[in-house]
Amino acid sequence: MRAARLIKMVLLLQSRPSMTAAELARELEVSERTITRDALALSEAGVPVYADRGRAGGYRLVGGYRTRLTGLARSEAEALFLSGVPGALREMGLDDAASAARLKVSAALMPSLRDAPSSAAQRFHLDAPGWYQEPETPELLPVIAEAVWDDRLVSARYRRGDTEVERELAPYGLVLKAGVWYVCARAGTSFRVYRVDRFTAVALGDERFVRDEEFDLPAFWEERAAEFARSILRTEAVVRLTEAGARGLPYVTDRAAAQEALRAAGPADAEGRVTVTVPVESDEVAYSQLLQLGPEAEVLAPPSLRALFARAAARMAELYR
């Protein structure tokens, strides 16, 4: 633990002209007294750490000292590619590896480029969860993430409806979609997608699986996501929309389905409304979605869905009369 902290301290000092004890303590999450002891230990080990006293003082490396400890470990290199999603790194247990990797890269950069990491971090941040959600980290995510990184087979129990099933899985990749974690895994000879929060138990196996080199995680996810979106749109609703309703339709229903329905719509009627046929999941789901459009949408069919809106309109009229 202390050895890792000392290495990190050297890398920090190598990446910046100087740092105060308070800055080092904050970065390393220790007290300033510990920083003083660590600086002395480094000096005794032959690392030329020099302390400047006074208000503008701090610690620095003397004589252009460069450590050779900047080679990236495999886990650090892999984590570095995910450093744009800090929340995901924390949830998978890779925060320390990414931090070490960023420090090593910073230490290896030319002095004129050492502000590049912080400059980029101030210009781009990925916030994956949707609005109005409090994301929860699945308890078994770190175990599954470890299996993904190490190509380890796992024995898992998965909640499916009211029952649990057992599976031997080869976990190929993790996907974070709108705050929800999924694992893409090979079960037998086929690839499937599992929600991580539905695993009730996961045991790492000693055996490693041979990864299919042709497997493309982004392409696989895009294909399965499109299949899922199509599969849940089991019925259709015929809706008459004002201009404002047409603009709002893609924001309350499936975006691709809504845009396709709008492109296929005929010309507007005498009142400026267009009639579209849009795929929906069910009457109940369509009701909750289209209700957001208020008077900008009139449901024409099916009769069961129109009846839901008629009852809602009568109740609203009674409330506001």
Side-chain angles (χ1 to χ4, degrees):
M1 182 68 178
R2 190 190 185 198
R5 189 176 71 242
L6 292 174
I7 292 173
K8 193 172 182 179
M9 183 174 176
V10 172
L11 292 171
L12 282 167
L13 293 174
Q14 185 171 311
S15 64
R16 308 179 194 181
S18 68
M19 295 183 69
T20 66
E23 290 172 336
L24 285 166
R26 186 166 56 251
E27 289 278 356
L28 299 174
E29 299 180 348
V30 295
S31 66
E32 293 185 32
R33 181 173 296 181
T34 298
I35 294 298
T36 301
R37 289 198 296 265
D38 285 352
L40 180 61
L42 286 171
S43 181
E44 291 175 349
V47 178
V49 177
Y50 182 77
D52 289 315
R53 301 189 181 278
R55 178 177 297 180
Y59 292 93
R60 60 185 175 85
L61 293 175
V62 179
Y65 177 83
R66 308 287 294 175
T67 177
R68 295 182 180 179
L69 299 173
T70 52
L72 291 177
R74 181 178 182 83
S75 62
E76 294 169 347
E78 291 170 336
L80 185 62
F81 287 100
L82 292 171
S83 57
V85 282
L89 282 168
R90 286 193 300 272
E91 293 179 10
M92 289 190 291
L94 296 172
D95 200 26
D96 287 343
S99 175
R102 286 192 294 269
L103 275 173
K104 289 182 177 183
V105 170
S106 296
L109 290 174
M110 295 171 56
S112 60
L113 298 177
R114 285 179 188 159
D115 66 336
S118 61
S119 176
Q122 293 305 317
R123 287 165 172 80
F124 176 77
H125 174 69
L126 177 62
D127 184 10
W131 289 106
Y132 315 119
Q133 297 181 25
E134 188 64 34
E136 295 183 4
T137 303
E139 181 180 352
L140 296 172
L141 176 61
V143 179
I144 296 173
E146 182 179 349
V148 168
W149 292 122
D150 290 345
D151 294 340
R152 297 268 290 278
L153 293 170
V154 299
S155 300
R157 288 206 307 271
Y158 187 77
R159 190 173 64 255
R160 179 173 292 170
D162 296 329
T163 62
E164 286 190 2
V165 296
E166 294 189 6
R167 292 285 185 268
E168 296 290 327
L169 300 176
Y172 268 60
L174 285 163
V175 175
L176 179 60
K177 169 71 171 178
V180 179
W181 284 97
Y182 299 86
V183 59
C184 303
R186 191 180 67 215
T189 58
S190 62
F191 287 94
R192 300 180 183 180
V193 176
Y194 300 87
R195 274 186 62 144
V196 174
D197 58 5
R198 292 182 183 168
F199 284 100
T200 59
V202 176
L204 283 175
D206 295 327
E207 186 180 352
R208 285 179 165 81
F209 63 88
V210 178
R211 181 174 287 268
D212 182 352
E213 296 299 331
E214 295 183 359
F215 179 79
D216 184 330
L217 179 61
F220 172 79
W221 176 259
E222 183 178 2
E223 179 183 347
R224 289 303 172 91
E227 288 178 2
F228 175 75
R230 289 192 298 268
S231 70
I232 64 174
L233 302 178
R234 302 183 184 92
T235 186
E236 293 179 333
V238 181
V239 189
R240 187 166 169 256
L241 301 164
T242 65
E243 186 177 342
R247 288 197 303 270
L249 185 66
Y251 297 96
V252 299
T253 64
D254 180 84
R255 182 181 294 269
Q259 290 173 338
E260 185 175 343
L262 289 167
R263 285 193 295 269
D269 60 21
E271 296 180 11
R273 291 177 176 249
V274 295
T275 299
V276 301
T277 302
V278 59
V280 294
E281 185 174 344
S282 65
D283 282 2
E284 292 73 18
V285 172
Y287 169 75
S288 66
Q289 293 174 334
L290 296 173
L291 192 62
Q292 299 176 63
L293 298 178
E296 310 303 326
E298 177 192 1
V299 173
L300 303 178
S304 55
L305 180 57
R306 184 176 174 87
L308 288 176
F309 276 87
R311 287 195 293 271
R315 290 168 58 196
M316 292 283 284
E318 181 67 26
L319 284 173
Y320 288 98
R321 184 165 55 191

